[in-house]
Amino acid sequence: MSAATSVLVATSTDGLPARARAQLAESEVGGMAAVLLIRSIYMSIFVIASTMGTAVAQQCREPAMVRAIGARPRQVRRAVAGQALAASVPAALLGCLLGGFLARVWCAGMKEHGLLPREVVFHPAWLALPVRPGVAVVTSPLAALLSSLRFSLLRPARALAEAAAGRRHPATGLPVRAVMRRRAITVVGAA
């Protein structure tokens, strides 16, 4: 996100000669950067949400044990959201730094290939700083809360039983891993 935002800001036509503005309009790099920005926000939300869902599902024993010793469902959800928040802040900051570096490389590459005029000067977009952490810091705890909701509402004994047995496929009643293994063997055998 920070790379696309930086390129979007760098391709503004402020202070550029008419020839450079015409080259920018012809190559439509600003439109490409805007599409990439929207797409990266969209993909970040889904990747973060699915990652948090998987992480919470794999840690089902810990919330079950905490529920068994008397924690309330709200306390379990708050703990899961806190873990997600603690992981999302450093990841978002690292993403901003890496995105700023990659934006500079991206602009240099576009100048070499003639998509950007030589007059365009790259400046990191400070607008990207709140966007990336904002998406990560809001999406991670929200996805963790939603993922932990069902498990936190189970009675402690039921939560421990499910954690010990693993998740079951709703149609077959078999463990989810066994169903996925059977499907993979079927696909490989069919090929």
Side-chain angles (χ1 to χ4, degrees), residues 75-186:
Q75 292 170 320
V76 171
R77 289 190 302 269
R78 191 179 310 145
V80 169
Q83 287 178 348
L85 185 63
S88 69
V89 171
L93 294 176
L94 181 64
C96 277
L97 292 174
L98 188 59
F101 171 73
L102 291 175
R104 187 175 299 277
V105 172
W106 188 18
C107 273
M110 286 192 291
K111 283 182 186 178
E112 286 177 19
H113 293 297
L115 288 172
L116 285 179
R118 297 282 177 203
E119 294 86 4
V120 171
V121 178
F122 176 78
H123 297 290
W126 299 112
L127 175 69
L129 287 178
V131 172
R132 174 66 184 137
V135 168
V137 167
V138 169
T139 305
S140 294
L142 185 63
L145 278 172
L146 292 175
S147 299
S148 67
L149 183 63
R150 179 186 129 343
F151 202 78
S152 69
L153 294 176
L154 291 176
R155 292 207 165 114
R158 174 82 175 163
L160 282 172
E162 278 199 25
R167 293 191 62 200
R168 301 275 178 186
H169 192 273
T172 63
L174 295 171
V176 171
R177 287 185 180 165
V179 172
M180 296 306 286
R181 197 174 310 123
R182 279 186 184 176
R183 288 182 183 165
I185 291 171
T186 304

Side-chain angles (χ1 to χ4, degrees), residues 18-75:
R19 185 193 63 76
R21 283 196 302 262
Q23 186 179 355
L24 272 176
E26 182 181 314
S27 66
E28 297 179 3
V29 174
M32 178 178 62
V35 168
L36 286 174
L37 175 64
I38 292 168
R39 187 181 215 182
S40 65
I41 290 172
Y42 183 73
M43 290 301 294
S44 294
I45 290 171
F46 281 105
V47 168
I48 290 169
S50 65
T51 302
M52 284 296 127
T54 303
V56 169
Q58 288 178 348
Q59 293 181 356
C60 62
R61 279 199 179 131
E62 289 85 2
M65 294 295 283
V66 172
R67 285 282 289 140
I69 61 171
R72 298 200 184 304
R74 181 176 13 137
Q75 292 170 320

